[in-house]
Structures are given as structure tokens and as C-alpha cells.
Amino acid sequence: MSGLLRIRWAIAPEIAPRPLINCSRCGGVRPYRCSGKFRVNANGKRIDAWLIYRCTGCDNSWNFTILERRNRRDIEPALLAALEGNDPALTRQHALDAAALRNRIGQIEEFPDVTVRKELLDGSPESATALWLELRLDAATPLRLDRLLAGELGISRSRLQGWEEQKRLIIEPGNAKALRKPARNSTAVRIDLTGEADRDAIVLAACG
């Protein structure tokens, strides 16, 4: 496609998933929020580490295992220091790992809220007739791809569907249901805007 504008969207979840746990204090299942703090315990040369969660109802604690009975010499010093110092980046990494949390506890509560940072890679917005959007996610999100695109481009989901049916919207890699599935890392979305009356507005929205 001529006049191709290449843009990278860096997508970050705003709210970490929350495990749904039967709280002994509340007497029922409650969502637990990440406290942002680790607990590290040393028993001789063995190290245990947990990420602490708190009940949203009563503040009761639940520990998500990060390290279990690991020999101190097998742990990178930088990792141990990050755990002991409640490093925000490490906390976020584990808090956003929905798959690990689901494997541990079963049920979790997820949120579609994301922040999108847009970076122009190549091309001129003034002469663009097509978009190539490179999606980069730092963690999984339940936000559907069509909702992400519609919200960020300022158009309707039905319009996206129409473009897909006309082969003017192509998702790589993808299948017939890719638009209705959660956005995935390393996805590329190509959109032909030739002849669209609001092309300039869409291009501006895509660039942020």
C-alpha cells in the first residue's frame, strides 16, 4: 500500500489482575489487590519470597509464591536485592502475570483499562493513505482488539468489521475472529484509508 504510515503502539495495563479468594475474615470470596510489597524469608541458606496481596474488604493478607526453598547461591544478587527492596518494576512484572496468578489460584478478576503510548516509526502523516500499527504489550490484557482500535482511532467497531470484510483491514498474525479476541503482543494491523473522508482525523488519532 502506498503512503504507508508505520506506528508503534506500546500498550500497558493500568490495573493489575486481582485473585478471587475465599477470605476467612469476610466469610466469602473477595478480590485481593496487590500491595506492591514482597516478603522475603531466609531459613539458613534457603530463601522463600512472596508477593503480598490484601483483601479489598478487610485488608487480610494472602501471599503469592515467587521463590520457594531456593538456595541463596542460586539466586542472582540483583534479584534478591530487588525482592528485599520492593522494586516497583519487579512488583509490576509479577502483579501483571495473569497466567501465573490464574494457575495458582484459579479465578481472577481482570480489567480492560490500558495506557497506549504511540511512536511514529516511518512515513509522513500528511501524505498517509494507509496505517501499519505495531502492537507491543508489556503484559496480557483482556481488552478486545476491536475495542482497542475503535477507542484509539475514534471510529466504530462496525466500521472496523466492514473494513475487514473488504480486506482493507488485515491483522498479522490473525484469523477470522482476531478482532473480537484480546489484543496480543507483536500483532500488526494494516488499514487502507484510501478514499476515507475522515482520513486525516484517523491518522492524527493513530499518531497520538
Side-chain angles (χ1 to χ4, degrees):
M1 292 185 285
S2 61
L4 185 65
L5 191 67
R6 294 164 52 91
I7 307 165
R8 178 181 295 133
W9 286 5
I11 303 162
E14 291 183 351
I15 306 174
R18 304 191 298 189
L20 299 175
I21 299 171
N22 190 6
C23 179
S24 58
R25 289 184 184 174
C26 292
V29 175
R30 295 288 188 272
Y32 276 56
R33 58 175 175 77
C34 177
S35 71
K37 296 183 181 298
F38 293 104
R39 176 188 169 196
V40 180
N41 182 57
N43 185 1
K45 295 182 179 180
R46 299 291 178 178
I47 301 292
D48 293 289
W50 304 269
L51 180 58
I52 303 172
Y53 282 76
R54 296 285 183 181
C55 175
T56 56
C58 69
D59 212 36
N60 190 32
S61 66
W62 174 76
N63 296 333
F64 177 42
T65 301
I66 304 299
L67 299 176
E68 186 173 16
R69 306 294 293 166
R70 288 278 298 277
N71 194 300
R72 179 183 288 270
R73 67 167 178 250
D74 295 331
I75 304 173
E76 288 289 338
L79 173 59
L80 188 55
L83 289 168
E84 292 175 336
N86 297 313
D87 179 72
L90 186 62
T91 300
R92 177 176 172 81
Q93 174 188 328
H94 286 289
L96 291 176
D97 193 342
L101 196 58
R102 188 181 291 107
N103 288 339
R104 173 66 176 82
I105 202 65
Q107 288 185 305
I108 65 173
E109 182 179 37
E110 295 184 270
F111 303 88
D113 310 70
V114 298
T115 298
V116 181
R117 182 172 55 84
K118 301 169 182 178
E119 177 188 359
L120 179 61
L121 300 177
D122 187 47
S124 171
E126 292 76 17
S127 59
T129 57
L131 299 175
W132 187 93
L133 307 175
E134 175 189 313
L135 307 187
R136 288 288 182 265
L137 281 73
D138 71 352
T141 172
L143 180 63
R144 283 175 30 159
L145 180 56
D146 59 352
R147 292 184 182 277
L148 170 68
L149 293 173
E152 294 299 323
L153 297 177
I155 60 178
S156 67
R157 286 184 288 156
S158 60
R159 191 174 179 188
L160 290 169
Q161 184 66 43
W163 284 345
E164 185 180 44
E165 293 170 355
Q166 299 164 19
K167 308 297 184 185
R168 298 180 60 188
L169 185 153
I170 299 173
I171 302 167
E172 301 176 357
N175 54 45
K177 296 182 179 180
L179 269 179
R180 296 183 291 277
K181 291 184 177 181
R184 293 288 180 254
N185 186 41
S186 299
T187 296
V189 181
R190 297 171 179 265
I191 304 175
D192 183 358
L193 296 175
T194 304
E196 298 294 330
D198 56 348
R199 177 192 64 85
D200 290 344
I202 295 173
V203 168
L204 182 61
C207 292

